[in-house]
Structures are given as structure tokens and as C-alpha cells.
Amino acid sequence: MIYVVIAYLWAAILLYILLGGADFGAGIIELFTSAKNKQYTRTTMYQAIGPVWEANHMWLIIAIVVLFVGFPQIYTTVSTHLHIPLVIMLFGIIARGTAFTFRNYDAVVDSMQKVYNRIFVYSSFVTPFFLGVIAASAVSGRIDTGAPDFLSAYVFSWLNWFSVTVGFFTVAICGYLAAIFIIGETKDDTSRIRFIRKAKQMNVAAVIFGGLVFVAANAEGIPLDKWLFDNVVGVVALVAALLSLMVLWYLLLSKGKVYIIRVLAGFQVTMILLAITLRHYPNIVILKGGKYLSLMEHAGQEKTIYSLAMALLLGSILILPALFYLIYSFQKDKGHWEH
Amino acid sequence: MNDFIAARSQMALSLGFHIVFSCIGMVMPFFMAVAHFYWLRTNDVVYRNITKAWSKGVAIFFATGAVSGTVLSFELGLLWPEFMKHAGPIFGMPFSLEGTAFFIEAIALGFFLYGWGRFNRWFHWFTGVVVGVSGLVSGILVVAANAWMNSPAGFDYVNGQYLNIDPIKAMFNDAWFSQALHMCIAAFVATGFAVAGIHALMILKKKNVRFHTQSFRIAAVFACVAALLQPLSGDISAKDVAKRQPAKLAAMEAHFHTEAAAPLILGGIPDTDAKEVKYAVKLPGMLSFMVHSNFQTPVNGLDKIPEQDQPPIAITHYAFQVMVGLGMLMLLISFFYFIAIWKKREWMQQKWFLRAFVLATPMGFIAVEAGWTVTEVGRQPWIINGIMRTADAVTPMPGIAYSFYIFTAVYISLSLIVTFLLYRQIKMVGKLYDVSPSV
């Protein structure tokens, strides 16, 4: 049963990166759109994510509940030592979710829209940035449970070049996913070309920051290259990601099928997550001094894991058909709903 | 402000904020379902307009509730890591089920808000009902988790170890039913009176009278039925608390001394040094009657509880008085409402009648906040009643006071913006939702 729980945790994280990430990306693209195109970008984005955005963020809640029920020690260690980035991320989540809703549901359309827009785009940047920082810090080996002073216990646990570059990398990935997704939502060629260009830019940014992540890891003494390349799965996953990226560029240039492009982009992100997580499995958090927090050793008691797995299985039976029907319904004839 | 008080304040603030939005998110879908039902059955366009106008408000409240709920799921670990390390695996069951309920609520809300004219009309109506039902289930599950803190079950506590964990037993602890029942009814009372009060005000202002009158009636019926039921549920809760948490009951009543024919103390100022309540109205024997259904049976007082295990008496007592007092006022208004329905239809249009409802707008939510204060402060100094002290659960990270100040600023700004948006929604009813007012 523990494997069911771990599979769900991984799937929830992946889906949050893909769906929540594309959702954050919508704001990131808006941030990097010139003023005259902003309104158009905004409308297209809203048409695309309006009905599903709330559901996209549920994956985070699922992941966090699995952690605190099934792996309490992992949850509490991370939330103690990464308290500060977590709180900043939470403010990002509050600001983004409310600003997005407020701008669409304000009965009067006036200068307040500018306030909502600004909050929305900046928090769309800040939130995934800190998500990346938190994820990187969990494996960076900087969390020191026995730290003597405030700075080394609560600040240097996450403030280092490796975490920061991963933060930027995450932002770029989100923007990339969103741009790829939006290409299929456009109705005319000009905007299609515009979003294809955005997707390319975001992709280039992701590659650059991906490179910087390696540089930073090297400088900080984190053996990232070893983690990724000293095992078959890691190498295969990354090569697959690279090959699919080349196919994707070809399709972008030759205006290929939209859904293939989407699948390829999703595939790349899945492969990257797979390469990073598999090497450490089941050690999800790496502490200072080479100690680990393990999904196997630090799991809750048997009955807890059993009932958690049951709750997750039961939940999927209820959730997945409904979710697919929701996405299907609003993809079928997109952008024509009245509300 | 020391870190422990800051952490408690931040938790109280976050819960106090979230509870308002979750109550509205739980209850409004049912109001909408009724209005929507009338629209589908009668084709009277005013009901469609009411449903749409309410759904805009609900979208705003739901989003705010969803993000503040996400924050809470992190704050449990950010502020109380020692508690979560042990409690997570025991009382996590309702949370894992709540994840599902909440997810379904979000999906159904997507269908409902964006589904006008796209689906079969009754399927669309049904998705609105699903929003309400899954919201209610979410609420019950979260309260069941809180009930576990009051009434820990489903494990053996041996030498500081939590053994033989049984998450199902933990979920169905002794307090879950009475607490969940009281909270659900409270949500209907609070939301019902708030919504009815706002529409009553608009009727008094002679704006879109028919629109607001029909809205008022839907909300008021729910509110008044719930307000009639709440004292019964309160009675179940009080008897339950007396049995499980005598310290909490004694603090609620400011009942210092164990005595036979214990009086019910109304109002007053508890003096913890002198161990007496000044300026209070005392109804002899009533507390004994309420707790044990007998005017003579002794009720345990605070003197039976070691001082270090006593909750803050004054706060618990005042909060309890506020909750009960407001509950009684709303009960009184409910009586008038039912008299108006059955005997005196003309009251419905009269100013004093509508004004009473306007006055009652905030009462339900104040009572909800007071009630949560009773249950949370009344459990102190324990975070898991009788097992773990709150002070032992707090995060080791210093500087929580700053975090508390920032959270306060954020939640105050959010409250202001939501109020502002609600004001705009109401102001725009005539332009957006009820275009040809039938004044």
C-alpha cells in the first residue's frame, strides 16, 4: 500500500507542475507581454483557464495532505526549516488566486483592474519561483536540523545559488508550458505566431536556466551531474526529453499538430521530474551531513498508510471522471461559454 | 509579543478568516439551488437573475476560501510541527477525504459557473447541488478533525508514544457528531441571516424590490429554520462537553466551585483571583438541569481542575455568552418570521420587520467566531486534549510575531477588498442582473 501512496504523491506533484505550472505560466506570459498585446493575451488566457484553474491547484493540496498524513516527519522538517520560503509562496498563492478571481468577478470594470492585473502577474512569478526554491532546497543538503543559529537553521537552508537558479528554471518551465498550451487556444494566425514565439523564448530561457542550475550546483558542491548521469534511467529520461524537444521545435517551426506539441512538452517535464526524483528514491529530503528523510523509513504506521491509500483510490474514482468531463466539455467548443 | 502567543494568534486569525468563507461556500450553493430550481420550474426570469447574481458572490468567496484553506494546510506544519508529527497520521483520515470532497467541489463549481446554456438545464442545476453537498461534506470532515483534538481517539498513548493508530476510530471520535452538527447549522444561520439582512436593506431602500424580496425569502427561511434547530444542537454539544471536557464547560460558565443545584450564570465579569463572577444574573439549578437534566445533581467546577490545566476563563466565558446571546436574538427573530409567514403576511413588508433582519446581518457570523473561540480557547492549554500541550507543539523558529503582523495585514486587506467587491455587486444588481426592475 505504501507504493500506492508514493505513486499518488509523485503523480500529484507531476500534475501540479503540469497543470498548476501552466496556470502560473499564464501570468508569467502576461508579465512578459508588451503593453499593447496584454489585453488580448489576458482574454485568451482567461478563456482557456477560467473553468479549470481552481481544479489545477487542488493537486498541491493532495500532495501536502499525503505528506502530512503519510510522512509527518518529512512534512514537519521541511515546514520548520523552509518556513520562510513557504510563507512567501503562500502569500503568492493568496495574492494570485484572489486577484485572478477578483478581476473576473468585479461587477464594475475600472482602474481597479490595473491593481488586480499587477498583483496577478507578479504573484504568478513569485509563487512558482519559491516552489522551485523549496523543491531544490529539499534535496540540496542544506537543511541542518541541528543548526546553532537562526541564519543557518532558517535562512541558509534555502538561500543559495542552486535553489535560486532552480527557482528561475521553474518559472521558465511554467511559462513554456503555458505558451505551448495557449497555442492551441488561439483563433487567428497572428496570435498563433505570437504565442509560438513566446513558447520558443520561454523554452530558450528554460534551457539557459537549466544550464545555470548545473553551474550553480557545481559551485555549491551539489553533485547534480552525478545524480542525473550516473544511472541508466536518468540518462535515458534526459535523452528522451532532449529528443522530444527537438521534435517539438521542428513541429513549432512547421506548424504541426497542436496536441502533439502539448504532449511533447508534458513529456519533457515528466522526464525531467523522473530523472531528478528516481535517483534519490525513496529519499525525498537530503539533510546536511548526508542524512536522508526517506519515504520508506519515515512513513506512518501501517494502518495510516492503508487508510490513506484507500482514501486516495476512492477519491480518484470520484474525481477523475468528473475532471476529465470538465476539461473535455470546455475544450470541445472553447471560448464560447456565457457566465 | 512572544513567539508562542504570536503563533496562536496567527492560527486564530487564519481560522477566523477562513471560517467565514467556508460557511458561505457551504451554504450559498443551497440558496442558489433553490433559486435555480424556481427558475427552471416557473421560467420566472427574476429567479435566474438571483441565481446568477449570487453565483458571482460565491465565486469571489469560494476563491478566497480556497486560498485561505490552502494556507491553513501549510500553517499546521509551519506553526505546530511537533503536533503534526504525531497527530498527522492519526487524525489525517478526514483531511485525506476532505481533499476529495474539496476537489469535487472545485470541479462542480467549474461546471456550474461556466455552464450556463451549455449543458442540459437539469444537469447544470445538479452540478450546483453537488457544489453544496461536497462543501458540506468538506466542512463536516474538517470539523471531525478538530473534534479529534477535543476528544482524542484511535491510538494508545504509552510513555509518550502514539501506538496502535486507527485512523477510522480517530475520525469517528466522540465529539465529531455534536461538533459537526453544531457547525453545519451555524453555517446556515450565519450565512442565512447575513444574506437575508443585506437583501432586507435593499428592500428598505426600494431598489429592485421584487428581486430582493424573493432573495430575502429564500435566505430567511433557511436562516430561521436553522436558528430554531440550533438550540437543540447546542444542548447536545453542552452535555457532550460536560462529559468529555469538564474544564471547558466550567470555563464557559465561569463555574468556579463544584456545587449541587449549580446556577446558570448569565453575563457578568469573572474574577479569577476571587474565584467569583461579579454582576451576573444567576438562575439557580439551571446549569445542573442543562448538563444532567436534574436540578440538584452537582456540576464539577474549576476547583476540580489543576490550575495549570485550566483554560483562560474570562475569554471562554465572554465568548460563550456572546454566542448564546446572539443565538437567542436570532431565535426570537425566527419566531417573528414564522408568525409572519403563517398569520401576519403584512409584516413582511413592514419596516420594523425588515429592520430587525438588517440588524441581524452580522450576528450569525459574530456568533460563529465566538463559538470557535469557545471551542479553541476552551481546550487550552492542550492542543490534543489531555495528551499534548499547545506550548510543546509550537515551532522552534523565532520571530513568528513578524509573520503574524504580515498575515494580519494581508487578511485585513483581503477582507476590505472582498467587502468592496460585494458592495459593488450589490450596487450593480439593477444594471447587471435585474435589468427591468418590477418595482
Side-chain angles (χ1 to χ4, degrees), chain A residues 46 50-62 64-65 68-70 72-73 75-80 82-84 86-87 89-91 93-98 100-102 104-110 112 116 119 150 154 300-301 303-304 307-308 310-312 314-316 318-320 322-323 325-339, chain B residues 10 52 55-57 59-60 62-64 66-82 84-93 95-100 102-104 106-107 109-111 113-119 123 162-168 395-400 403 406-407 410-411 414 417-418 420-421 424-425 427-428 432-433:
Chain A
Y46 176 66
V52 290
W53 84 269
E54 200 92 66
N56 287 343
H57 292 271
M58 293 295 151
W59 300 109
L60 177 66
I61 309 222
I62 303 283
I64 214 69
V65 168
F68 82 55
V69 177
Q73 201 173 344
Y75 169 76
T76 51
T77 308
V78 168
S79 54
T80 303
L82 303 178
H83 190 119
I84 296 168
L86 277 165
V87 166
M89 180 203 78
L90 288 177
F91 287 136
I93 288 179
I94 296 178
R96 187 176 185 282
T98 49
F100 181 78
T101 307
F102 294 170
N104 293 311
Y105 286 96
D106 193 340
V108 183
V109 178
D110 62 2
M112 276 302 283
Y116 305 139
I119 294 175
F150 183 83
Y154 304 109
Q301 293 175 22
K303 262 199 167 167
T304 301
S307 50
L308 176 59
M310 281 318 209
L312 290 167
L314 176 79
S316 336
L318 294 170
I319 291 168
L320 293 178
L323 185 61
Y325 187 54
L326 177 75
I327 295 170
Y328 166 77
S329 308
F330 289 98
Q331 278 288 313
K332 204 172 46 179
D333 47 343
K334 50 194 64 158
H336 297 300
W337 58 82
E338 170 202 355
H339 67 273
Chain B
Q10 184 176 322
K52 283 201 173 188
S55 75
K56 297 296 163 87
I60 293 168
F62 186 84
T64 314
V67 293
S68 59
T70 308
V71 170
L72 277 168
S73 67
F74 281 90
E75 271 181 325
L76 286 170
L78 291 170
L79 299 173
W80 315 104
E82 200 50 35
M84 286 307 285
K85 195 154 89 189
H86 301 292
I90 310 173
F91 84 150
M93 192 63 192
F95 284 114
S96 27
L97 294 172
E98 197 257 347
T100 299
F102 190 34
F103 211 136
I104 289 174
I107 294 171
L109 192 74
F111 276 116
L113 289 179
Y114 296 87
W116 289 97
R118 289 175 65 97
F119 300 105
F123 174 76
Y162 298 74
L163 304 174
N164 303 322
I165 290 174
D166 185 341
I168 307 289
T395 179
M397 193 179 102
I400 298 296
S403 157
I406 303 172
F407 269 96
V410 168
Y411 281 143
L414 263 184
I417 300 177
V418 170
F420 167 75
L421 287 172
R424 281 186 157 185
Q425 288 284 348
K427 204 180 69 178
M428 294 298 281
L432 291 176
Y433 307 114

Side-chain angles (χ1 to χ4, degrees), chain B residues 403-416:
Chain B
S403 157
F404 168 59
Y405 298 142
I406 303 172
F407 269 96
T408 308
V410 168
Y411 281 143
I412 288 177
S413 335
L414 263 184
S415 312
L416 292 176

